[in-house]
Amino acid sequence: MMNIEGEEMRKPIRLIAAACSDMGIGKNGQLPWSLPKEFQFFMDTITAVSYDAFLKIIILCWGRICWFSCSETVFPLANCINLVLSRKLTAVPPLAHYLCKDFGSVIHLASEPPLCHIVETIWVLGGPEVYKESLEHPCCDLIYLTDIMADFDCDVFFPKFDRNVFRKQKGFPGVPDEIHEENGIKFQFQVFKKEA
Ligand SMILES: NC(=O)c1ccc[n+]([C@@H]2O[C@H](COP(=O)([O-])OP(=O)(O)OC[C@H]3O[C@@H](n4cnc5c(N)ncnc54)[C@H](OP(=O)(O)O)[C@@H]3O)[C@@H](O)[C@H]2O)c1
């Protein structure tokens, strides 16, 4: 799909999450763990943009609860547009840039002028509903999924995905392969790439 100026309109959709042994990702609207180094990896990954003649920007796509549970101190992020998904909200939440009623609207926004000229990537930051929907989108190519090697009591879970379609990568650029430990919890960064 190309726009009138011939620029590629389809933006890569990428998921990022950290999940414990049973794929749990959250409890009571919060992360069940405190892992500052893991969080720093998340921040560094979602804010990385390229510069090819023009500086590109990133769309960060948040479910409503994720958006409101994140500390206000991490916003605004350079080069990022924060987009919140909600069927109920009627106004863009404070510090966010856009409100979308469905995932299709996110794709539409990123694919049309003016944003299509500058958006590089759509990062999906959860929770489970938007993870599931984005996993099924043909433009979803990468899942960054930190393996938290411990048990936590969770009430939300990362959706199942086909590991024959999304294959675990070794030596993926910018992603250390070794096992880390913080606050007595071991974890490993992982990337799953959709095979063509
Ligand atoms: N470990 C991790 O990496 C990670 C990552 C992300 C989240 N989490 C955890 O997950 C939990 C939050 O997830 P959650 O499921 O409770 O909430 P959420 O996905 O952040 O928010 C759910 C709300 O977002 C809106 N929404 C989601 N998908 C939508 C769609 N496709 N179209 C329109 N609106 C949509 C709806 O809002 P309305 O009700 O307003 O319509 C829905 O009720 C927290 O515990 C958080 O810490 C963990």
Side-chain angles (χ1 to χ4, degrees):
M1 192 172 23
M2 310 286 272
N3 69 10
I4 46 170
E5 290 162 325
E7 184 172 340
E8 180 64 36
M9 290 168 65
R10 292 161 64 94
K11 307 298 178 183
I13 297 169
R14 294 176 178 165
L15 283 65
I16 187 162
C20 65
S21 311
D22 63 354
M23 296 302 279
I25 60 169
K27 173 84 174 174
N28 297 331
Q30 303 291 331
L31 289 177
W33 45 76
S34 171
L35 297 171
K37 284 184 193 151
E38 203 287 323
F39 189 70
Q40 191 58 51
F41 174 80
F42 163 80
M43 294 295 285
D44 292 345
T45 303
I46 62 169
T47 55
V49 285
S50 67
Y51 184 92
D52 55 350
F54 295 101
L55 187 66
K56 297 291 186 181
I57 62 160
I58 300 298
I59 285 185
L60 302 179
C61 178
W62 307 80
R64 175 181 55 80
I65 294 170
C66 286
W67 173 259
F68 284 106
S69 73
C70 276
S71 161
E72 292 190 355
T73 57
V74 300
F75 306 111
L77 298 171
N79 309 321
C80 295
I81 288 181
N82 290 298
L83 187 156
V84 178
L85 274 170
S86 170
R87 300 178 188 90
K88 287 186 202 154
L89 293 177
T90 53
V92 181
L95 300 176
H97 301 93
Y98 290 95
L99 170 67
C100 281
K101 297 282 175 204
D102 53 50
F103 192 63
S105 306
V106 179
I107 306 300
H108 187 72
L109 191 71
S111 311
E112 294 288 318
L115 287 187
C116 66
H117 301 299
I118 50 172
V119 168
E120 187 163 73
T121 307
I122 301 170
W123 277 105
V124 175
L125 309 185
E129 183 184 347
V130 63
Y131 280 145
K132 188 167 188 310
E133 200 168 344
S134 52
L135 273 170
E136 288 162 5
H137 195 281
C139 292
C140 178
D141 62 349
L142 296 175
I143 306 167
Y144 283 64
L145 183 61
T146 302
D147 178 15
I148 309 288
M149 299 163 160
D151 298 327
F152 285 90
D153 181 25
C154 292
D155 57 16
V156 285
F157 298 85
F158 195 83
K160 287 194 168 61
F161 62 95
D162 187 341
R163 291 177 191 234
N164 291 317
V165 175
F166 287 93
R167 298 280 187 139
K168 189 172 167 180
Q169 305 293 297
K170 278 217 169 110
F172 197 81
V175 181
D177 276 330
E178 67 266 24
I179 293 174
H180 302 260
E181 186 166 346
E182 213 174 6
N183 300 334
I185 300 164
K186 289 189 169 58
F187 61 94
Q188 187 175 34
F189 303 117
Q190 307 178 110
V191 175
F192 296 83
K193 184 176 179 188
K194 184 149 72 181
E195 301 292 326

Coordinates of all heavy atoms in Angstrom, one line a residue, residues 63-128:
G63 N -3.3 0.7 26.1 CA -4.7 0.5 26.7 C -4.9 1.5 27.8 O -3.9 2.0 28.4
R64 N -6.1 1.8 28.0 CA -6.5 2.9 29.0 C -5.9 2.7 30.4 O -5.3 3.6 31.0 CB -8.0 3.1 29.1 CG -8.4 4.1 30.1 CD -9.9 4.2 30.3 NE -10.6 2.9 30.5 CZ -10.7 2.3 31.7 NH1 -10.2 2.8 32.7 NH2 -11.4 1.2 31.8
I65 N -6.0 1.4 30.9 CA -5.5 1.2 32.2 C -4.0 1.3 32.3 O -3.4 1.9 33.2 CB -6.0 -0.2 32.7 CG1 -7.5 -0.2 32.8 CG2 -5.4 -0.6 34.0 CD1 -8.2 -1.5 33.1
C66 N -3.3 0.8 31.3 CA -1.8 0.9 31.2 C -1.4 2.4 31.3 O -0.5 2.7 32.0 CB -1.3 0.3 30.0 SG -1.3 -1.5 30.0
W67 N -2.1 3.1 30.4 CA -1.8 4.6 30.4 C -1.9 5.2 31.7 O -0.9 5.9 32.2 CB -2.6 5.3 29.3 CG -2.4 6.8 29.4 CD1 -3.2 7.7 30.0 CD2 -1.3 7.5 28.8 NE1 -2.6 9.0 29.8 CE2 -1.4 8.8 29.1 CE3 -0.1 7.0 28.1 CZ2 -0.5 9.8 28.7 CZ3 0.8 8.0 27.7 CH2 0.6 9.4 28.0
F68 N -3.0 5.0 32.4 CA -3.2 5.7 33.7 C -2.4 5.1 34.8 O -2.2 5.7 35.9 CB -4.7 5.8 34.0 CG -5.4 6.8 33.2 CD1 -6.3 6.4 32.2 CD2 -5.3 8.1 33.5 CE1 -6.9 7.3 31.4 CE2 -5.9 9.1 32.7 CZ -6.8 8.7 31.7
S69 N -1.9 3.9 34.6 CA -1.1 3.3 35.7 C 0.4 3.6 35.6 O 1.2 3.4 36.5 CB -1.2 1.7 35.7 OG -0.5 1.2 34.6
C70 N 0.8 4.3 34.5 CA 2.2 4.6 34.3 C 2.5 5.9 35.0 O 1.7 6.9 34.9 CB 2.6 4.7 32.9 SG 3.0 3.0 32.3
S71 N 3.7 6.0 35.6 CA 4.1 7.2 36.3 C 4.1 8.4 35.3 O 4.6 8.3 34.2 CB 5.4 7.0 36.9 OG 6.0 8.3 37.2
E72 N 3.6 9.5 35.8 CA 3.6 10.7 34.9 C 5.0 11.2 34.7 O 5.3 11.9 33.8 CB 2.8 11.8 35.6 CG 1.3 11.5 35.6 CD 0.4 12.7 36.1 OE1 1.0 13.7 36.4 OE2 -0.8 12.5 36.0
T73 N 5.9 10.7 35.5 CA 7.3 11.2 35.4 C 8.0 10.7 34.2 O 9.0 11.3 33.8 CB 8.1 10.8 36.7 OG1 8.1 9.4 36.8 CG2 7.6 11.5 37.9
V74 N 7.5 9.6 33.6 CA 8.2 9.2 32.4 C 7.7 9.9 31.1 O 8.2 9.6 30.0 CB 8.1 7.6 32.2 CG1 8.7 6.9 33.3 CG2 6.7 7.2 31.9
F75 N 6.7 10.7 31.2 CA 6.2 11.4 30.0 C 6.5 12.9 30.1 O 6.6 13.4 31.2 CB 4.7 11.2 29.9 CG 4.3 9.8 29.9 CD1 3.6 9.2 31.0 CD2 4.7 9.0 28.9 CE1 3.3 7.9 31.0 CE2 4.4 7.6 28.9 CZ 3.7 7.1 30.0
P76 N 6.7 13.6 29.1 CA 6.7 13.1 27.7 C 8.0 12.5 27.3 O 9.0 12.8 27.8 CB 6.4 14.4 26.9 CG 7.0 15.5 27.7 CD 6.9 15.1 29.1
L77 N 8.0 11.6 26.4 CA 9.2 10.9 25.9 C 9.5 11.5 24.5 O 8.6 11.7 23.7 CB 8.9 9.4 25.7 CG 8.6 8.6 26.9 CD1 8.1 7.2 26.5 CD2 9.7 8.6 27.9
A78 N 10.8 11.8 24.3 CA 11.3 12.4 23.1 C 10.9 11.5 21.9 O 11.0 10.3 22.0 CB 12.8 12.6 23.2
N79 N 10.5 12.1 20.8 CA 10.2 11.4 19.6 C 9.1 10.4 19.6 O 9.0 9.6 18.7 CB 11.5 10.7 19.1 CG 12.7 11.5 19.1 OD1 12.6 12.7 18.7 ND2 13.8 11.0 19.5
C80 N 8.2 10.5 20.7 CA 7.1 9.6 20.8 C 5.8 10.3 20.8 O 5.7 11.3 21.4 CB 7.3 8.8 22.1 SG 8.7 7.7 22.1
I81 N 4.8 9.7 20.2 CA 3.4 10.1 20.2 C 2.7 9.1 21.1 O 2.7 7.9 20.8 CB 2.8 10.2 18.8 CG1 3.4 11.4 18.1 CG2 1.3 10.3 18.9 CD1 2.9 11.6 16.7
N82 N 2.0 9.5 22.1 CA 1.3 8.6 23.0 C -0.2 8.6 22.6 O -0.9 9.6 22.5 CB 1.4 9.1 24.4 CG 2.8 8.9 25.0 OD1 3.3 7.7 25.0 ND2 3.5 10.0 25.3
L83 N -0.6 7.4 22.3 CA -2.0 7.2 21.8 C -2.7 6.2 22.7 O -2.1 5.1 23.0 CB -1.8 6.6 20.4 CG -3.0 6.4 19.5 CD1 -2.6 6.3 18.1 CD2 -3.7 5.1 19.9
V84 N -3.8 6.6 23.2 CA -4.5 5.8 24.2 C -5.7 5.2 23.6 O -6.5 5.9 22.9 CB -4.9 6.7 25.5 CG1 -5.7 5.8 26.5 CG2 -3.7 7.2 26.1
L85 N -5.9 3.9 23.8 CA -7.1 3.2 23.3 C -8.2 3.2 24.4 O -7.9 2.8 25.5 CB -6.8 1.8 23.0 CG -6.2 1.5 21.6 CD1 -5.7 0.0 21.5 CD2 -7.3 1.7 20.5
S86 N -9.4 3.6 24.0 CA -10.5 3.5 24.9 C -11.8 3.6 24.2 O -11.9 4.4 23.2 CB -10.4 4.6 26.0 OG -11.6 4.7 26.7
R87 N -12.8 2.9 24.5 CA -14.2 3.0 24.0 C -15.0 4.0 24.8 O -16.0 4.5 24.3 CB -14.9 1.7 23.9 CG -14.1 0.7 23.0 CD -14.8 -0.7 23.0 NE -14.0 -1.7 22.3 CZ -13.1 -2.4 22.9 NH1 -12.9 -2.3 24.3 NH2 -12.3 -3.3 22.3
K88 N -14.6 4.2 26.0 CA -15.4 5.0 27.0 C -14.9 6.5 27.0 O -15.8 7.4 27.2 CB -15.2 4.5 28.4 CG -15.9 3.2 28.7 CD -15.8 2.9 30.2 CE -15.9 1.4 30.4 NZ -15.3 1.0 31.7
L89 N -13.6 6.7 27.0 CA -13.1 8.1 27.1 C -13.7 8.9 26.0 O -13.8 8.5 24.9 CB -11.6 8.1 27.2 CG -10.9 7.5 28.4 CD1 -9.4 7.6 28.2 CD2 -11.3 8.2 29.7
T90 N -13.9 10.2 26.3 CA -14.4 11.1 25.2 C -13.4 12.2 24.9 O -13.6 13.0 24.0 CB -15.7 11.8 25.7 OG1 -15.5 12.3 27.0 CG2 -16.8 10.7 25.7
A91 N -12.3 12.3 25.7 CA -11.3 13.3 25.5 C -9.9 12.7 25.6 O -9.8 11.7 26.4 CB -11.5 14.5 26.5
V92 N -9.0 13.2 24.9 CA -7.6 12.7 25.0 C -7.1 12.9 26.5 O -7.2 14.0 27.0 CB -6.7 13.5 24.0 CG1 -5.3 13.0 24.1 CG2 -7.2 13.5 22.6
P93 N -6.6 11.9 27.1 CA -6.2 12.0 28.5 C -5.0 13.0 28.6 O -4.2 13.1 27.6 CB -5.8 10.6 28.9 CG -6.2 9.7 27.8 CD -6.4 10.5 26.6
P94 N -4.8 13.6 29.8 CA -3.7 14.5 30.0 C -2.4 13.8 29.6 O -2.2 12.6 29.9 CB -3.7 14.8 31.5 CG -5.2 14.6 31.9 CD -5.7 13.5 31.0
L95 N -1.5 14.6 29.0 CA -0.2 14.1 28.5 C -0.2 13.2 27.3 O 0.9 12.9 26.7 CB 0.6 13.4 29.7 CG 0.9 14.3 30.9 CD1 1.6 13.5 32.0 CD2 1.7 15.5 30.6
A96 N -1.3 12.7 26.9 CA -1.4 11.8 25.7 C -1.6 12.8 24.5 O -1.9 13.9 24.7 CB -2.5 10.8 25.8
H97 N -1.4 12.2 23.3 CA -1.6 13.0 22.1 C -2.8 12.7 21.3 O -3.4 13.5 20.7 CB -0.4 12.8 21.2 CG 0.9 13.2 21.8 ND1 1.7 12.3 22.5 CD2 1.6 14.4 21.9 CE1 2.8 12.9 22.9 NE2 2.7 14.2 22.6
Y98 N -3.2 11.4 21.4 CA -4.4 10.9 20.6 C -5.2 9.9 21.4 O -4.6 9.2 22.3 CB -4.0 10.2 19.3 CG -3.4 11.1 18.3 CD1 -2.0 11.3 18.1 CD2 -4.2 11.8 17.3 CE1 -1.4 12.1 17.2 CE2 -3.6 12.6 16.4 CZ -2.3 12.8 16.3 OH -1.7 13.6 15.3
L99 N -6.5 9.9 21.1 CA -7.4 8.9 21.7 C -7.9 8.1 20.5 O -8.4 8.7 19.6 CB -8.5 9.6 22.5 CG -9.7 8.8 22.9 CD1 -9.2 7.8 24.0 CD2 -10.8 9.7 23.5
C100 N -7.9 6.8 20.6 CA -8.5 6.0 19.5 C -9.5 5.0 20.1 O -9.3 4.5 21.2 CB -7.4 5.2 18.7 SG -6.5 6.2 17.6
K101 N -10.6 4.8 19.3 CA -11.7 4.0 19.8 C -11.5 2.5 19.5 O -12.1 1.6 20.0 CB -13.0 4.4 19.2 CG -13.4 5.8 19.5 CD -14.0 5.9 20.9 CE -14.4 7.3 21.3 NZ -14.4 7.5 22.8
D102 N -10.5 2.2 18.5 CA -10.2 0.8 18.2 C -8.9 0.8 17.5 O -8.3 1.8 17.1 CB -11.3 0.3 17.3 CG -11.6 1.1 16.1 OD1 -10.6 1.5 15.4 OD2 -12.7 1.4 15.8
F103 N -8.4 -0.5 17.4 CA -7.0 -0.6 16.9 C -6.9 -0.2 15.4 O -5.9 0.3 15.0 CB -6.5 -2.1 17.1 CG -5.1 -2.2 16.9 CD1 -4.1 -1.6 17.7 CD2 -4.6 -3.1 15.9 CE1 -2.8 -1.7 17.5 CE2 -3.2 -3.2 15.7 CZ -2.3 -2.6 16.4
G104 N -8.0 -0.4 14.7 CA -8.0 0.0 13.3 C -7.7 1.5 13.1 O -7.1 1.9 12.2
S105 N -8.2 2.2 14.1 CA -8.0 3.7 14.0 C -6.6 4.1 14.2 O -6.0 5.0 13.7 CB -8.9 4.4 15.0 OG -10.2 4.1 14.9
V106 N -5.9 3.3 15.0 CA -4.4 3.5 15.3 C -3.7 3.3 13.9 O -2.9 4.1 13.5 CB -3.9 2.5 16.3 CG1 -2.4 2.7 16.5 CG2 -4.7 2.6 17.6
I107 N -4.0 2.2 13.3 CA -3.3 1.9 12.0 C -3.6 3.0 11.0 O -2.8 3.4 10.2 CB -3.8 0.5 11.4 CG1 -3.7 -0.6 12.5 CG2 -3.1 0.2 10.1 CD1 -2.3 -0.8 12.9
H108 N -4.9 3.4 10.9 CA -5.3 4.4 10.0 C -4.5 5.7 10.2 O -4.0 6.3 9.3 CB -6.8 4.6 10.1 CG -7.4 5.6 9.1 ND1 -7.5 5.2 7.8 CD2 -7.8 6.8 9.2 CE1 -8.0 6.2 7.1 NE2 -8.2 7.2 8.0
L109 N -4.5 6.1 11.5 CA -3.8 7.4 11.9 C -2.3 7.3 11.4 O -1.8 8.3 10.8 CB -3.8 7.5 13.4 CG -3.4 8.9 14.0 CD1 -4.5 9.9 13.6 CD2 -3.3 8.7 15.5
A110 N -1.7 6.2 11.6 CA -0.2 6.1 11.3 C 0.0 6.0 9.8 O 1.1 6.2 9.3 CB 0.4 4.8 12.0
S111 N -1.0 5.6 9.1 CA -0.9 5.3 7.6 C -1.2 6.5 6.7 O -1.1 6.4 5.5 CB -1.7 4.1 7.2 OG -1.5 3.1 8.1
E112 N -1.8 7.5 7.3 CA -2.3 8.6 6.5 C -1.4 9.9 6.8 O -0.9 10.0 7.9 CB -3.8 9.0 7.0 CG -4.8 7.9 6.7 CD -5.0 7.8 5.2 OE1 -5.2 8.9 4.5 OE2 -5.1 6.7 4.6
P113 N -1.4 10.8 5.8 CA -0.7 12.1 6.1 C -1.4 12.8 7.3 O -2.6 12.7 7.4 CB -0.9 12.8 4.8 CG -1.1 11.8 3.8 CD -1.9 10.7 4.5
P114 N -0.7 13.5 8.1 CA 0.7 13.8 8.0 C 1.6 12.7 8.7 O 2.8 12.7 8.4 CB 0.8 15.1 8.8 CG -0.2 15.1 9.8 CD -1.4 14.3 9.2
L115 N 1.0 11.9 9.6 CA 1.9 11.0 10.4 C 2.6 10.0 9.6 O 3.8 9.6 9.9 CB 1.1 10.3 11.5 CG 0.6 11.2 12.7 CD1 0.0 10.4 13.7 CD2 1.8 12.0 13.3
C116 N 2.1 9.6 8.5 CA 2.7 8.5 7.7 C 4.1 8.9 7.2 O 5.0 8.1 7.0 CB 1.9 8.1 6.5 SG 1.7 9.3 5.3
H117 N 4.4 10.2 7.1 CA 5.7 10.7 6.6 C 6.7 10.6 7.7 O 7.9 10.6 7.3 CB 5.6 12.2 6.2 CG 4.6 12.4 5.1 ND1 4.7 11.8 3.9 CD2 3.4 13.1 5.1 CE1 3.6 12.1 3.1 NE2 2.9 12.9 3.8
I118 N 6.4 10.5 8.9 CA 7.4 10.6 10.0 C 7.3 9.4 11.0 O 8.3 9.2 11.7 CB 7.3 11.9 10.8 CG1 5.8 12.2 11.3 CG2 7.8 13.1 10.0 CD1 5.7 13.4 12.2
V119 N 6.2 8.7 11.0 CA 6.2 7.5 11.9 C 7.0 6.4 11.4 O 6.9 6.0 10.2 CB 4.7 7.1 12.1 CG1 4.6 5.7 12.8 CG2 3.9 8.1 12.9
E120 N 7.8 5.8 12.3 CA 8.7 4.7 11.9 C 8.1 3.4 12.4 O 8.1 2.4 11.6 CB 10.1 4.9 12.6 CG 11.1 3.9 12.2 CD 12.5 4.3 12.5 OE1 12.8 4.3 13.7 OE2 13.2 4.8 11.6
T121 N 7.6 3.4 13.6 CA 7.1 2.1 14.2 C 5.9 2.4 15.1 O 5.8 3.5 15.7 CB 8.2 1.5 15.1 OG1 9.4 1.4 14.4 CG2 7.9 0.2 15.7
I122 N 5.0 1.4 15.2 CA 3.9 1.4 16.2 C 4.3 0.4 17.3 O 4.4 -0.8 17.0 CB 2.6 1.0 15.6 CG1 2.2 2.0 14.4 CG2 1.5 1.0 16.6 CD1 1.0 1.6 13.6
W123 N 4.6 0.9 18.4 CA 4.9 0.0 19.6 C 3.6 -0.2 20.4 O 3.0 0.8 20.8 CB 6.0 0.6 20.5 CG 7.4 0.4 20.1 CD1 8.2 1.3 19.5 CD2 8.1 -0.8 20.1 NE1 9.4 0.8 19.2 CE2 9.4 -0.5 19.6 CE3 7.8 -2.1 20.6 CZ2 10.4 -1.5 19.5 CZ3 8.8 -3.0 20.5 CH2 10.1 -2.7 20.0
V124 N 3.3 -1.4 20.6 CA 2.1 -1.8 21.4 C 2.6 -2.1 22.8 O 3.4 -3.1 22.9 CB 1.3 -2.9 20.7 CG1 0.1 -3.4 21.6 CG2 0.8 -2.5 19.3
L125 N 2.0 -1.4 23.7 CA 2.6 -1.5 25.1 C 1.6 -2.2 26.1 O 1.8 -2.2 27.3 CB 2.9 -0.1 25.6 CG 3.8 0.7 24.7 CD1 4.1 2.1 25.4 CD2 5.0 0.0 24.3
G126 N 0.5 -2.8 25.5 CA -0.4 -3.6 26.4 C -1.6 -2.7 26.8 O -1.7 -1.6 26.4
G127 N -2.5 -3.4 27.4 CA -2.5 -4.8 28.0 C -3.0 -5.8 27.0 O -2.9 -5.7 25.8
P128 N -3.5 -6.9 27.5 CA -3.7 -8.2 26.8 C -4.6 -8.0 25.5 O -4.4 -8.6 24.5 CB -4.4 -9.1 27.8 CG -4.1 -8.6 29.1 CD -3.8 -7.1 29.0

